[in-house]
Amino acid sequence: MADAVDSRLLSRVDRYIEELLVPPDAALRQGLVEAEAAGLPDIAVSPNEGKLLHLVARLVRPGRILEIGTLGGYSTTWLARALEPSGRLVTLEIDPHHAAVARRNLERAGVADRVEVRVGPAARTLRAMAAAREPPFDVVFIDADKEGYPEYLDLLLRLSRVGTVIMADNLIRGGRVLDRGSTDPGVRGLRAFNARLAAESRLDSIILPIMRDRLDGLSISIVRA
Ligand code: SAH
Ligand code: DHB
Ligand code: MG
C-alpha cells in the first residue's frame, strides 16, 4: 500500500509549499550544516514540519514547552520561537555530543537564553521532573527513540494540564506502522503509541500525514478536562 504513494510527487509538493511559505532562515540553515559537519544523522523535521510545530505551538501562547529528542536543535529552534516573551523550553537529549551541537546552534539562533538542554535518558529525566512536581507544560513535542514513545506519553500526562498540546513525530514511517506483525522495536513502539492515543480518554487526538522523502505522520493531541 505504501508503495502506491508517488514519493517524488510528494517531495515536489513539499518543496513547493516550503518555497511558498517557509522563507530561508540563515540560523536554521547553518544549524543543519553544523549538525551534518559534526556527524549527526540527517533526521531533523523538515522545514514545513518545523513551521507546523511553530504555528501549532503559537496558538497556545506557550510559557513552557517540553521537547523529547533534541538532536542539533532544529525543531527546538522552531518551537522556542513560538514562546511568549518570558517563556522557557526544556529539551531532553540522551547524547552529550548532540546536546553540545544543539547548544551552539541555539546560541546562533538567538534562543539559548530561553532553552535548557537536559542530558540523559528521557524516561529518567521525565520521572525526576514529575517527582519534583515541575509546573505543567503548555506544549510538548515527542521525537526521540521510538520504542520509548508509550512510556513518554504516560510520564508526560503527569507534566500536563487540561489544554496541554502534545505532538509526536514519525508515527507512520512510510506505512510500516500498518504491519501488525512487525518485529521492528521502533515500529512496535509506534504502533503501541498510536493505539494508546486512540484509547486514552484524557486525550483528543489526530495523526496528520507528513510528507518529505517518504510519508510519515505527526500527532496532535489536546489534554481533555
Ligand atoms: N527533534 C529533532 C530530531 C530528534 S532525532 C529535530 O527535529 O530537529 C532523535 C533524538 O533523540 C536524537 O538526538 C537521539 O540521540 C535522541 N534520543 C534517542 N533516545 C533517547 C532517549 N532515550 N532519551 C533522550 N533522547 C534520546
Ligand atoms: C528517523 C527520523 C526521525 O524524524 C527521527 O526522529 C528518528 C529517526 C529516521 O528516519 O530514521
Ligand atoms: Mg522525528
Side-chain angles (χ1 to χ4, degrees), residues 43-45 67 69-71 74-75 93-94 98 120-122 143-145 152:
I43 56 173
V45 296
E67 176 179 68
T70 314
L71 193 64
Y74 182 81
S75 56
E93 173 55 55
I94 198 169
H98 294 184
D143 193 21
D145 57 307
Y152 300 151

Side-chain angles (χ1 to χ4, degrees), residues 120-135:
R124 186 198 292 171
T125 309
L126 290 168
R127 274 195 292 271
M129 291 167 76
R133 310 227 168 217
E134 283 206 26

Side-chain angles (χ1 to χ4, degrees), residues 38-172:
L40 273 54
D42 178 19
I43 56 173
V45 296
S46 68
N48 286 339
E49 188 179 356
K51 183 150 186 190
L52 174 61
L53 294 171
H54 170 84
L55 289 173
V56 171
R58 255 174 61 196
L59 292 172
V60 181
R61 299 176 128 337
R64 283 171 58 77
I65 299 178
L66 174 63
E67 176 179 68
I68 307 177
T70 314
L71 193 64
Y74 182 81
S75 56
T76 320
T77 300
W78 275 110
L79 287 165
R81 288 174 173 177
L83 284 165
E84 291 291 286
S86 62
R88 291 287 177 271
L89 185 153
V90 176
T91 182
L92 312 185
E93 173 55 55
I94 198 169
D95 187 321
H97 177 54
H98 294 184
V101 172
R103 286 189 180 108
R104 284 199 298 277
N105 286 337
L106 295 163
E107 196 75 52
R108 185 181 312 100
V111 296
D113 57 334
R114 281 168 266 169
V115 177
E116 185 192 341
V117 185
R118 292 190 193 166
V119 179
R124 186 198 292 171
T125 309
L126 290 168
R127 274 195 292 271
M129 291 167 76
R133 310 227 168 217
E134 283 206 26
F137 290 90
D138 306 305
V139 173
V140 180
F141 177 50
I142 307 172
D143 193 21
D145 57 307
K146 310 313 167 196
E147 304 93 300
Y149 276 33
E151 185 181 16
Y152 300 151
L153 187 57
D154 284 330
L155 292 166
L156 285 169
L157 286 167
R158 297 166 59 187
L159 292 162
S160 300
R161 57 167 173 83
V162 172
T164 293
V165 171
I166 299 175
M167 297 184 277
D169 192 32
N170 306 118
L171 301 185
I172 299 299

Side-chain angles (χ1 to χ4, degrees), residues 3 7 12 14 43 72 75 92 94 104 110 112 114 118 147 149-150 153 169 174 179 188-189 191 194 196 206 208 222:
D3 297 336
S7 61
R12 284 171 58 211
D14 188 51
I43 56 173
S75 56
L92 312 185
I94 198 169
R104 284 199 298 277
R114 281 168 266 169
R118 292 190 193 166
E147 304 93 300
Y149 276 33
L153 187 57
D169 192 32
D179 178 7
R188 289 169 65 92
R191 282 181 56 82
N194 292 344
R196 278 288 317 276
I206 190 63
L208 298 180
I222 302 182

Side-chain angles (χ1 to χ4, degrees), residues 13 17 20 89 131 136 188 196 221:
V13 170
I17 296 168
L20 277 175
L89 185 153
R188 289 169 65 92
R196 278 288 317 276
S221 305

